[in-house]
Amino acid sequence: MDSLQKLEPKYGLFTAISLVIGQVIGSGIFFKVDDVLFATQGNILAGLLGFIIVGVSVVFAAVSMSNYAEIIPKDGGILNYVEYRFGKRSAAFVGWMYLSLFYPLLTAVLFTVSGIYISHLIAEFVAFEPTFLHYSLIGIFNLCLFLGMNIFRPKSSGIFQQLTTVIKLIPLIFIASLGILSLAKGDVEEANTFRHAAKSVGENQNFWLLVAASFIPISFAFDGWYIATQLSGEIRNSSKNLPKALIIGTSVVLLVYVLYYCGVVLRMNSADILTLKDVYITEFSRNIAEKSGAVLIQLFVIISVLGTSNGLLLATTRVPFQFYNLEKSRKFLNLGKVNERTNTPVNSAVLAFVIILGYIAFYYFTNTWDFFTHINYDLSAIPIAFIYMVNGALFVGLLSLIRKNIFKGNRFVKYLMAIIAILGVVLVLIGTATAQNGISYILISGFYVLAGFFFIKLRS
C-alpha cells in the first residue's frame, strides 16, 4: 500500500468560520422556503417554529460536535470522530456513504440550483423560457469551472469562499430588515401575519404535525455546518479554531435564517410563494425594487449559491482521498495520491467529479419525470436523513466520554448540550419518517450502507 500523504494547514479562523456559514447559508435558504410552506400547507407560523426548533438544535449540535473537534484536530472530521468512538470499521462505512451518497449528491443539487438562478437571470434580458435541462447544463459548466479552480488554484478557492461568505449575507440581511420594518410600521397584510396563521389551522390539520413536516426542508437549509470538520487538517491551530468556527458560525446562521424567513413571509403571500416555487425570490425583489432590484438581488443570490457550491465541492473532492486513507477501506484508483505542486488530491477530485455528474443526471430525472414530480420526490432529502443518524450516534457516544472526564470544561453543561442535541436529532428523524416519502429516504440510505460491504474490509 502507498505511504499516506498529508494535506498541509493553510486556512485560518476566518476561513473556517466562512466555511461553516458559507456551507449553510447559500442555496438552501433561497430554494427551500417554498418547500417549507408546501410541507406546512401554507402555514407560515408552523414554518417559523420549524426554523427555530431545527436552528436551535443545530447550534447545540455544533457545541457538542466541537468537543470532538477539540481533541481530534486532523483530516477527516466526522470520519475521525466515528473512528475514535465506534472503531475503524464504522468509520469506513461512514466514509463509504460520504463518497457514494452524501457529499456528491448534495454537491450535484447545489450546482443545479446555481443553474436555476443563472437561467432566470439570463431570462431577464433574453426572451426564452428556462427548463430543467438549462439548469442542469449550466450546473455542469459551473462544476467544471470550480473543479479546475480547486485543483489548480486551491488558495484562490479559499479566497473566493471568504468573499462570497460576506457577499451572500447582503440579500439575507436586506430582506430580513424589510420584514422588521414592516412589523414596526404595522404594514403587514392580515393574511400574512403569524396571528392569522395560528387561527387558520384547518379542522383536519394538526398544527404540530405541520411543524414536524417542515423539518426535512429546513434541515437541508441548515445542513453543512459540520463540513468544515472535513478540512480539520488544513485549518491552522484546528483544536482551537474549529470549535470556535462551529459555534460562531451556526449561531449567526440561526439568527439570519429566522429573520430572513420573517422578511419573506411578512411581505409576500404564502400562496404566491407556493405558485412561484424556487424563483419566488425574483418576484419578491421585483415587487420591492422593480426590474433593477430583481437583477441585483439575483446576482447576490447567484454569488451566494456559487459560494456554497464551491465550499461543498472543496470538501467533496477530499472525501475519496480520506476514504482511501481509512485502515478498513479497500484501496482503488490510487485515491490517496496528492499532487506535489498544488498539494491537492487530484485522483480523488476526478472520481468525485464523475460521481457528481451522475447525480446531476438523477436529479434531472426526478424533477422532470411525472412519477417523481407527482409525489414531490426530493432527492436531496436522502443524504440529510443519513447524516442526522450519524450525528445522533456521535452525540449518544459523547455521553460516556463526558462521564470519563475526557473533555475540559463543566461536565454538567456538556451533558445538557449533548442531550439537547440528541433530542434535536430525534425530532428531525421523526419529522422525516412522518413526512411524504420520508420512509423511502431512510430505506435508500440503508441500501447504500449494504452496498458498502463490497468496499469495506470486514476481516483484518
Side-chain angles (χ1 to χ4, degrees), residues 373-444:
T373 57
H374 180 69
I375 60 175
N376 196 43
Y377 203 82
D378 185 3
L379 199 66
S380 64
I382 298 172
I384 302 302
F386 159 74
I387 197 61
Y388 267 85
M389 289 186 281
V390 172
N391 289 348
L394 284 172
F395 299 147
V396 171
L398 193 62
L399 297 176
S400 63
L401 296 179
I402 295 171
R403 188 169 59 251
K404 295 176 183 177
N405 275 330
I406 289 178
F407 308 107
K408 298 177 181 178
N410 188 293
R411 189 161 62 172
F412 173 77
V413 172
K414 290 186 180 293
Y415 263 125
L416 181 62
M417 297 295 175
I419 289 171
I420 294 174
I422 292 168
L423 291 175
V425 169
V426 170
L427 283 174
V428 170
L429 290 178
I430 289 174
T432 301
T434 57
Q436 184 183 22
N437 308 314
I439 296 298
S440 73
Y441 302 148
I442 296 173
L443 289 177
I444 290 174

Side-chain angles (χ1 to χ4, degrees), residues 327-338:
E327 185 176 319
K328 295 296 182 179
S329 67
R330 296 190 184 279
K331 315 304 177 186
F332 57 95
L333 299 180
N334 198 16
L335 297 175
K337 183 178 181 181
V338 176

Side-chain angles (χ1 to χ4, degrees), residues 252-305:
V252 170
V253 170
L254 169 59
L255 177 63
V256 172
Y257 270 16
V258 169
L259 293 177
Y260 171 84
Y261 175 79
C262 292
V264 170
V265 298
L266 291 174
R267 304 268 307 195
M268 191 172 190
N269 190 278
S270 61
D272 293 334
I273 296 174
L274 288 170
T275 300
L276 293 166
K277 295 185 178 179
D278 291 339
V279 294
Y280 75 90
I281 190 65
T282 303
E283 191 62 31
F284 178 92
S285 53
R286 186 178 288 111
N287 289 339
I288 61 176
E290 299 182 345
K291 182 175 180 177
S292 58
V295 170
L296 184 61
I297 288 184
Q298 282 181 89
L299 284 172
F300 279 123
V301 170
I302 289 169
I303 292 172
S304 173
V305 173

Side-chain angles (χ1 to χ4, degrees), residues 58-195:
V58 165
V59 173
F60 281 108
V63 172
S64 295
M65 196 70 77
S66 68
N67 289 299
Y68 287 109
E70 185 178 330
I71 63 172
I72 313 174
K74 61 179 182 177
D75 271 339
I78 289 178
L79 285 180
N80 285 320
Y81 309 161
V82 172
E83 179 179 326
Y84 175 81
R85 187 60 190 87
F86 301 110
K88 298 179 185 299
R89 191 169 291 113
S90 296
F93 272 104
V94 173
W96 158 252
M97 293 293 286
Y98 277 1
L99 183 156
S100 63
L101 173 68
F102 182 77
Y103 280 98
L105 177 49
L106 290 182
T107 305
V109 171
L110 294 192
F111 272 104
T112 303
V113 171
S114 75
I116 292 175
Y117 292 114
I118 290 174
S119 295
H120 284 276
L121 177 61
I122 295 172
E124 294 281 342
F125 304 96
V126 180
F128 89 107
E129 185 66 31
T131 66
F132 216 91
L133 180 60
H134 295 116
Y135 307 157
S136 300
L137 292 175
I138 294 175
I140 291 172
F141 174 82
N142 291 336
L143 172 64
C144 294
L145 180 66
F146 282 93
L147 180 73
M149 183 169 68
N150 278 308
I151 291 177
F152 300 109
R153 299 289 182 185
K155 290 186 178 180
S156 298
S157 177
I159 293 171
F160 179 79
Q161 196 64 33
Q162 294 180 23
L163 291 175
T164 56
T165 298
V166 175
I167 292 172
K168 70 175 57 180
L169 289 171
I170 295 175
L172 293 170
I173 293 172
F174 173 67
I175 292 171
S177 65
L178 290 177
I180 294 171
L181 288 173
S182 296
L183 276 178
K185 294 179 179 179
D187 185 25
V188 179
E189 295 182 12
E190 176 63 23
N192 292 359
T193 62
F194 296 116
R195 182 178 61 254

